[in-house]
Amino acid sequence: MHSKTFRDFSLRPESQQALDEAGYTTPTPIQEQAIPILLRGHDLVGIAQTGTGKTLAYLLTIFQGLQDGGEGPQAVVMCPTRELAIQVAGEAERFGKHLGLRTVLAYGGTSSGMQKQALSDGCDLLVATPGRLLDFLQQATLSLRRVRVFVLDEADRMLDMGFIRDIDAILKRAPMSRQTLLFSATFPEEIRRLSERYMFHPETVRIEAQQIVKDTIDHSLIFVDKASKDAALVALLQRENPAKALVFTATREATSEISRRLRARNMEVVALSSLLSQANRERALDAFRRGEFHILVATDVAARGLDITDIDLVINYDVPMHAEDYVHRIGRTGRAHRLGRAITFVTPLDARRLTAIEHLLGEPVRPEPLAGFSGERAEGGGGGGAGRRRRPRTRGRRTSGARRG
Ligand code: AMP
């Protein structure tokens, strides 16, 4: 369905070469829609979550306008978390390597000496979290006067995390002539206000939750009783034998509880909770990325901003409280053009939440059996969802996703 290729954008040869090397030929929907707008120099609001390919959409734009020489960053990407910042910088190095791009990462929670040094050694692209970026501005370690492209990535997360004042203070110091890009998974009132304040007639591109889920994720439900969830989790992990699975729980206590139980069964599991120190979090994530552990157990909060691209299975041990979180969670698999898989445990108590999820997606989620577990779908739940009695689909989407590779 995407008839366009990256070549249609007439990118710089250095960018095109990096894309060729990565084997990326077809732009994702957000890239297809956003890149032409960005290349015309417009400000842009992109409503899209991580996993849609938004990073490359703005990086390719930044690369297009890079100039040689000069001091101070030509582009800034501001991110809510250090995990996301690291991910973005990695992507920038990968796709900017033929341009000789100098990327500097700056985030809080670590000493600033090396980051300052890196800045003074030369920086074309600065990827930073708001607090540290503002520190550097206030200390005059950094000037934004050369900045031509300013990106606010995961802007809704930054606002959730209370960065609004920092963002205000930072954007006031960026040149008026800049191009401003804002990406956000959601579009609440605060984001609209932010865009009105700091952007010039932005165009909006929206990648709908429904579209992401439909296009890239094979997701299903397993009906279980609350008391059988642990046994069902073990059985499911044994059946699927994933190389990288992400298990979501409702609380951080459940995170440690479940990982303890799985470990007792000799499964290679690591728990990510906000109880861990930053250093231990990093260590846990690295070990998971390297494949030393096959299973990562986390809460929504702990998983925020986390970007691990090759997850082949997401398990919702607990149904998320908000329907949007369902989309965020399962969006961790099925990144870009790969088909991912997500399975959710549903107990009779979850009827309302399931209704809300299906309402958001606009269709029922397919139930599937798990040998030895035969829970039933609870009817009703009193929620306001439409179409409770539609027949569930019986066939997976794997076959229909053949165009993805
Ligand atoms: P993002 O939403 O920016 O975090 O991107 C998610 C993942 O998709 C990253 O690993 C990207 O390298 C990858 N990706 C981005 N664009 C494409 C593309 N056009 N084709 C294949 N993979 C892509």
Short mmCIF file of all heavy atoms in Angstrom, two decimals, residues 6 19 22-32 35 48-60 84 87-88 91 94-95 153-154 307-310 331 334-338 405, ligand 1:
data_model
loop_
_atom_site.label_atom_id
_atom_site.label_comp_id
_atom_site.label_asym_id
_atom_site.label_seq_id
_atom_site.Cartn_x
_atom_site.Cartn_y
_atom_site.Cartn_z
N PHE A 6 11.93 5.62 -0.21
CA PHE A 6 12.71 6.75 0.28
C PHE A 6 13.31 7.56 -0.87
O PHE A 6 13.51 8.76 -0.77
CB PHE A 6 13.81 6.26 1.22
CG PHE A 6 13.31 6.00 2.62
CD1 PHE A 6 13.26 4.71 3.12
CD2 PHE A 6 12.90 7.05 3.42
CE1 PHE A 6 12.80 4.47 4.41
CE2 PHE A 6 12.43 6.83 4.71
CZ PHE A 6 12.38 5.53 5.21
N LEU A 19 20.35 4.51 4.54
CA LEU A 19 19.08 3.79 4.46
C LEU A 19 19.25 2.49 3.68
O LEU A 19 18.74 1.45 4.07
CB LEU A 19 18.01 4.66 3.78
CG LEU A 19 17.48 5.83 4.59
CD1 LEU A 19 16.67 6.78 3.68
CD2 LEU A 19 16.61 5.36 5.75
N ALA A 22 20.87 -0.05 5.77
CA ALA A 22 19.98 -0.61 6.79
C ALA A 22 18.90 -1.49 6.16
O ALA A 22 18.19 -2.21 6.86
CB ALA A 22 19.32 0.52 7.58
N GLY A 23 18.79 -1.41 4.84
CA GLY A 23 17.76 -2.19 4.16
C GLY A 23 16.39 -1.55 4.27
O GLY A 23 15.37 -2.20 4.08
N TYR A 24 16.33 -0.27 4.60
CA TYR A 24 15.05 0.44 4.69
C TYR A 24 14.74 1.04 3.33
O TYR A 24 15.41 1.98 2.89
CB TYR A 24 15.10 1.58 5.71
CG TYR A 24 15.25 1.15 7.16
CD1 TYR A 24 15.35 -0.18 7.53
CD2 TYR A 24 15.25 2.11 8.18
CE1 TYR A 24 15.47 -0.55 8.88
CE2 TYR A 24 15.37 1.75 9.51
CZ TYR A 24 15.49 0.42 9.86
OH TYR A 24 15.61 0.08 11.18
N THR A 25 13.75 0.52 2.66
CA THR A 25 13.40 1.07 1.35
C THR A 25 12.07 1.82 1.39
O THR A 25 11.91 2.83 0.72
CB THR A 25 13.27 -0.06 0.30
OG1 THR A 25 12.40 -1.06 0.83
CG2 THR A 25 14.61 -0.68 -0.01
N THR A 26 11.14 1.31 2.20
CA THR A 26 9.80 1.87 2.23
C THR A 26 9.59 2.71 3.47
O THR A 26 9.79 2.23 4.58
CB THR A 26 8.76 0.73 2.26
OG1 THR A 26 9.19 -0.28 1.37
CG2 THR A 26 7.39 1.22 1.89
N PRO A 27 9.16 3.96 3.31
CA PRO A 27 8.88 4.75 4.51
C PRO A 27 7.66 4.22 5.25
O PRO A 27 6.73 3.68 4.64
CB PRO A 27 8.60 6.16 3.96
CG PRO A 27 8.53 6.05 2.49
CD PRO A 27 8.95 4.70 2.06
N THR A 28 7.67 4.37 6.56
CA THR A 28 6.49 4.02 7.36
C THR A 28 5.44 5.12 7.14
O THR A 28 5.78 6.19 6.61
CB THR A 28 6.85 3.94 8.85
OG1 THR A 28 7.26 5.24 9.27
CG2 THR A 28 7.98 2.95 9.12
N PRO A 29 4.20 4.91 7.55
CA PRO A 29 3.17 5.93 7.30
C PRO A 29 3.54 7.31 7.83
O PRO A 29 3.34 8.32 7.13
CB PRO A 29 1.94 5.37 8.01
CG PRO A 29 2.13 3.88 7.95
CD PRO A 29 3.61 3.66 8.08
N ILE A 30 4.11 7.38 9.02
CA ILE A 30 4.44 8.74 9.52
C ILE A 30 5.56 9.36 8.69
O ILE A 30 5.54 10.56 8.41
CB ILE A 30 4.79 8.75 11.04
CG1 ILE A 30 5.02 10.19 11.53
CG2 ILE A 30 6.04 7.97 11.38
CD1 ILE A 30 4.02 10.70 12.44
N GLN A 31 6.49 8.55 8.25
CA GLN A 31 7.58 9.08 7.42
C GLN A 31 7.02 9.56 6.08
O GLN A 31 7.38 10.63 5.59
CB GLN A 31 8.64 8.00 7.20
CG GLN A 31 9.41 7.69 8.49
CD GLN A 31 10.18 6.37 8.43
OE1 GLN A 31 10.10 5.63 7.45
NE2 GLN A 31 10.90 6.07 9.49
N GLU A 32 6.16 8.74 5.52
CA GLU A 32 5.59 9.09 4.22
C GLU A 32 4.84 10.42 4.29
O GLU A 32 4.93 11.25 3.39
CB GLU A 32 4.67 7.96 3.77
CG GLU A 32 4.13 8.20 2.39
CD GLU A 32 3.33 7.02 1.86
OE1 GLU A 32 3.46 5.91 2.40
OE2 GLU A 32 2.55 7.23 0.92
N ILE A 35 7.69 13.56 6.14
CA ILE A 35 8.93 14.01 5.50
C ILE A 35 8.70 15.10 4.44
O ILE A 35 9.37 16.13 4.47
CB ILE A 35 9.77 12.81 4.97
CG1 ILE A 35 10.31 12.01 6.16
CG2 ILE A 35 10.92 13.28 4.09
CD1 ILE A 35 11.02 10.71 5.82
N ALA A 48 2.02 10.46 17.10
CA ALA A 48 2.46 9.11 16.80
C ALA A 48 3.30 8.62 17.97
O ALA A 48 4.02 9.40 18.60
CB ALA A 48 3.31 9.09 15.54
N GLN A 49 3.18 7.37 18.27
CA GLN A 49 3.96 6.85 19.39
C GLN A 49 5.28 6.27 18.90
O GLN A 49 5.52 6.16 17.70
CB GLN A 49 3.15 5.79 20.12
CG GLN A 49 2.82 4.61 19.23
CD GLN A 49 2.06 3.56 19.99
OE1 GLN A 49 0.87 3.39 19.85
NE2 GLN A 49 2.78 2.82 20.80
N THR A 50 6.12 5.92 19.86
CA THR A 50 7.37 5.26 19.54
C THR A 50 7.05 3.94 18.84
O THR A 50 6.10 3.28 19.18
CB THR A 50 8.15 5.02 20.84
OG1 THR A 50 8.47 6.28 21.38
CG2 THR A 50 9.44 4.26 20.59
N GLY A 51 7.85 3.62 17.85
CA GLY A 51 7.59 2.38 17.12
C GLY A 51 7.03 2.65 15.72
O GLY A 51 6.95 1.75 14.90
N THR A 52 6.67 3.89 15.46
CA THR A 52 6.08 4.22 14.17
C THR A 52 7.14 4.67 13.16
O THR A 52 6.83 4.84 11.99
CB THR A 52 5.08 5.38 14.33
OG1 THR A 52 5.73 6.44 15.04
CG2 THR A 52 3.85 4.94 15.10
N GLY A 53 8.37 4.88 13.64
CA GLY A 53 9.42 5.36 12.75
C GLY A 53 9.56 6.87 12.76
O GLY A 53 10.18 7.46 11.89
N LYS A 54 9.01 7.51 13.79
CA LYS A 54 9.05 8.99 13.85
C LYS A 54 10.48 9.51 13.97
O LYS A 54 10.79 10.57 13.45
CB LYS A 54 8.19 9.50 15.01
CG LYS A 54 8.69 9.05 16.37
CD LYS A 54 7.78 9.56 17.48
CE LYS A 54 8.03 8.87 18.80
NZ LYS A 54 9.38 9.01 19.35
N THR A 55 11.34 8.76 14.65
CA THR A 55 12.71 9.24 14.86
C THR A 55 13.41 9.49 13.52
O THR A 55 13.99 10.55 13.30
CB THR A 55 13.52 8.20 15.66
OG1 THR A 55 12.73 7.75 16.75
CG2 THR A 55 14.81 8.80 16.17
N LEU A 56 13.30 8.52 12.65
CA LEU A 56 13.95 8.66 11.35
C LEU A 56 13.30 9.78 10.53
O LEU A 56 13.97 10.48 9.78
CB LEU A 56 13.87 7.31 10.62
CG LEU A 56 14.94 7.02 9.60
CD1 LEU A 56 16.33 7.30 10.13
CD2 LEU A 56 14.83 5.55 9.17
N ALA A 57 12.00 9.97 10.72
CA ALA A 57 11.32 11.06 10.01
C ALA A 57 11.99 12.38 10.34
O ALA A 57 12.32 13.17 9.45
CB ALA A 57 9.83 11.09 10.36
N TYR A 58 12.24 12.64 11.62
CA TYR A 58 12.85 13.94 11.90
C TYR A 58 14.35 13.96 11.69
O TYR A 58 14.92 14.97 11.29
CB TYR A 58 12.44 14.49 13.28
CG TYR A 58 12.82 13.72 14.51
CD1 TYR A 58 14.13 13.65 14.96
CD2 TYR A 58 11.84 13.11 15.29
CE1 TYR A 58 14.47 12.99 16.13
CE2 TYR A 58 12.16 12.45 16.47
CZ TYR A 58 13.49 12.38 16.88
OH TYR A 58 13.81 11.72 18.04
N LEU A 59 15.00 12.82 11.90
CA LEU A 59 16.46 12.80 11.67
C LEU A 59 16.79 13.08 10.20
O LEU A 59 17.70 13.86 9.90
CB LEU A 59 17.06 11.47 12.10
CG LEU A 59 17.17 11.24 13.61
CD1 LEU A 59 17.72 9.84 13.90
CD2 LEU A 59 18.06 12.29 14.27
N LEU A 60 16.06 12.46 9.31
CA LEU A 60 16.34 12.67 7.89
C LEU A 60 16.16 14.14 7.52
O LEU A 60 16.90 14.68 6.70
CB LEU A 60 15.45 11.77 7.02
CG LEU A 60 15.78 10.27 7.12
CD1 LEU A 60 14.71 9.44 6.42
CD2 LEU A 60 17.17 9.95 6.54
N LEU A 84 15.30 7.08 26.05
CA LEU A 84 14.90 7.53 24.72
C LEU A 84 16.02 8.34 24.07
O LEU A 84 16.31 8.19 22.89
CB LEU A 84 13.60 8.36 24.77
CG LEU A 84 13.08 8.79 23.41
CD1 LEU A 84 12.65 7.60 22.57
CD2 LEU A 84 11.93 9.79 23.54
N GLN A 87 18.57 6.09 22.67
CA GLN A 87 18.03 5.44 21.48
C GLN A 87 18.09 6.38 20.26
O GLN A 87 18.52 5.99 19.18
CB GLN A 87 16.59 5.02 21.80
CG GLN A 87 15.76 4.58 20.62
CD GLN A 87 16.20 3.22 20.12
OE1 GLN A 87 16.82 2.46 20.86
NE2 GLN A 87 15.89 2.92 18.88
N VAL A 88 17.69 7.62 20.48
CA VAL A 88 17.68 8.60 19.38
C VAL A 88 19.11 8.86 18.90
O VAL A 88 19.38 8.88 17.69
CB VAL A 88 17.01 9.92 19.83
CG1 VAL A 88 17.23 11.02 18.80
CG2 VAL A 88 15.52 9.70 20.06
N GLU A 91 20.32 6.03 16.77
CA GLU A 91 19.72 6.08 15.43
C GLU A 91 20.40 7.19 14.60
O GLU A 91 20.65 7.03 13.42
CB GLU A 91 18.22 6.36 15.59
CG GLU A 91 17.40 6.10 14.35
CD GLU A 91 16.66 4.77 14.36
OE1 GLU A 91 17.15 3.81 15.01
OE2 GLU A 91 15.61 4.67 13.70
N ARG A 94 23.77 5.97 13.48
CA ARG A 94 23.63 4.93 12.47
C ARG A 94 23.31 5.54 11.09
O ARG A 94 23.88 5.15 10.09
CB ARG A 94 22.50 3.99 12.90
CG ARG A 94 22.25 2.85 11.98
CD ARG A 94 21.28 1.87 12.62
NE ARG A 94 20.90 0.83 11.70
CZ ARG A 94 19.72 0.22 11.72
NH1 ARG A 94 18.81 0.56 12.62
NH2 ARG A 94 19.45 -0.73 10.86
N PHE A 95 22.38 6.49 11.08
CA PHE A 95 21.95 7.02 9.79
C PHE A 95 22.71 8.28 9.38
O PHE A 95 22.64 8.72 8.24
CB PHE A 95 20.44 7.25 9.79
CG PHE A 95 19.69 5.95 9.80
CD1 PHE A 95 19.26 5.39 11.00
CD2 PHE A 95 19.48 5.24 8.63
CE1 PHE A 95 18.63 4.17 11.03
CE2 PHE A 95 18.84 4.00 8.65
CZ PHE A 95 18.41 3.47 9.85
N ASP A 153 10.46 15.50 21.42
CA ASP A 153 10.04 14.11 21.22
C ASP A 153 9.31 13.62 22.45
O ASP A 153 9.70 13.94 23.58
CB ASP A 153 11.27 13.24 20.93
CG ASP A 153 10.90 11.95 20.21
OD1 ASP A 153 9.69 11.67 20.09
OD2 ASP A 153 11.81 11.22 19.77
N GLU A 154 8.26 12.85 22.23
CA GLU A 154 7.40 12.38 23.33
C GLU A 154 7.02 13.55 24.24
O GLU A 154 7.21 13.53 25.45
CB GLU A 154 8.06 11.24 24.11
CG GLU A 154 8.29 10.02 23.22
CD GLU A 154 8.52 8.71 23.98
OE1 GLU A 154 8.61 8.72 25.22
OE2 GLU A 154 8.58 7.66 23.31
N ASP A 307 13.16 2.00 25.00
CA ASP A 307 13.03 1.54 23.63
C ASP A 307 13.91 0.35 23.35
O ASP A 307 15.12 0.44 23.26
CB ASP A 307 13.31 2.65 22.64
CG ASP A 307 12.72 2.30 21.29
OD1 ASP A 307 11.48 2.24 21.20
OD2 ASP A 307 13.47 2.01 20.36
N ILE A 308 13.27 -0.77 23.23
CA ILE A 308 13.96 -1.99 22.86
C ILE A 308 13.23 -2.45 21.62
O ILE A 308 12.02 -2.65 21.64
CB ILE A 308 13.85 -3.03 23.97
CG1 ILE A 308 14.50 -2.48 25.22
CG2 ILE A 308 14.51 -4.34 23.56
CD1 ILE A 308 14.36 -3.36 26.42
N THR A 309 13.96 -2.54 20.52
CA THR A 309 13.26 -2.65 19.25
C THR A 309 12.88 -4.06 18.83
O THR A 309 11.98 -4.24 18.05
CB THR A 309 14.08 -2.01 18.13
OG1 THR A 309 15.43 -2.41 18.30
CG2 THR A 309 13.97 -0.51 18.17
N ASP A 310 13.56 -5.06 19.34
CA ASP A 310 13.27 -6.38 18.78
C ASP A 310 12.50 -7.30 19.72
O ASP A 310 12.82 -8.47 19.86
CB ASP A 310 14.58 -7.04 18.31
CG ASP A 310 15.67 -6.92 19.35
OD1 ASP A 310 15.41 -6.26 20.39
OD2 ASP A 310 16.76 -7.47 19.16
N GLY A 331 2.37 -1.86 21.42
CA GLY A 331 3.18 -1.18 20.41
C GLY A 331 4.68 -1.41 20.59
O GLY A 331 5.48 -1.04 19.76
N GLY A 334 6.20 -5.38 17.14
CA GLY A 334 5.69 -4.94 15.84
C GLY A 334 6.18 -3.58 15.42
O GLY A 334 5.45 -2.83 14.80
N ARG A 335 7.41 -3.25 15.76
CA ARG A 335 7.96 -1.96 15.37
C ARG A 335 8.14 -1.85 13.87
O ARG A 335 8.58 -2.80 13.23
CB ARG A 335 9.31 -1.76 16.05
CG ARG A 335 9.18 -1.62 17.55
CD ARG A 335 8.52 -0.33 17.85
NE ARG A 335 8.01 -0.23 19.21
CZ ARG A 335 8.65 0.33 20.21
NH1 ARG A 335 9.86 0.76 20.03
NH2 ARG A 335 8.09 0.45 21.37
N ALA A 336 7.85 -0.69 13.37
CA ALA A 336 8.00 -0.40 11.96
C ALA A 336 7.44 -1.52 11.10
O ALA A 336 6.27 -1.83 11.22
CB ALA A 336 9.45 -0.09 11.62
N HIS A 337 8.25 -2.15 10.30
CA HIS A 337 7.67 -3.09 9.34
C HIS A 337 7.64 -4.54 9.81
O HIS A 337 7.36 -5.43 9.03
CB HIS A 337 8.41 -2.99 8.01
CG HIS A 337 8.12 -1.70 7.32
ND1 HIS A 337 6.94 -1.46 6.68
CD2 HIS A 337 8.84 -0.57 7.23
CE1 HIS A 337 6.95 -0.24 6.20
NE2 HIS A 337 8.10 0.33 6.53
N ARG A 338 7.95 -4.77 11.06
CA ARG A 338 7.90 -6.17 11.51
C ARG A 338 6.56 -6.46 12.16
O ARG A 338 5.97 -5.63 12.82
CB ARG A 338 9.00 -6.45 12.50
CG ARG A 338 10.35 -6.68 11.85
CD ARG A 338 11.25 -7.41 12.82
NE ARG A 338 10.99 -7.00 14.19
CZ ARG A 338 11.58 -5.97 14.76
NH1 ARG A 338 12.44 -5.25 14.09
NH2 ARG A 338 11.31 -5.66 16.01
N GLY A 405 8.18 -7.25 6.17
CA GLY A 405 9.30 -8.18 6.24
C GLY A 405 10.29 -7.77 7.26
O GLY A 405 11.20 -7.11 7.04
P1 AMP B 1 10.85 4.77 16.19
O1 AMP B 1 9.35 4.84 16.17
O2 AMP B 1 11.44 5.99 15.59
O3 AMP B 1 11.36 4.47 17.56
O4 AMP B 1 11.32 3.56 15.23
C1 AMP B 1 11.09 2.23 15.55
C2 AMP B 1 12.05 1.29 14.82
O5 AMP B 1 11.70 1.16 13.45
C3 AMP B 1 13.51 1.70 14.84
O6 AMP B 1 14.27 0.55 15.15
C4 AMP B 1 13.78 2.13 13.42
O7 AMP B 1 15.13 1.91 13.06
C5 AMP B 1 12.85 1.28 12.63
N1 AMP B 1 12.44 1.93 11.39
C6 AMP B 1 12.19 3.24 11.20
N2 AMP B 1 11.84 3.49 9.94
C7 AMP B 1 11.82 2.32 9.29
C8 AMP B 1 11.53 1.94 7.93
N3 AMP B 1 11.14 2.83 7.04
N4 AMP B 1 11.63 0.65 7.62
C9 AMP B 1 12.00 -0.26 8.55
N5 AMP B 1 12.28 0.03 9.83
C10 AMP B 1 12.21 1.30 10.21
#
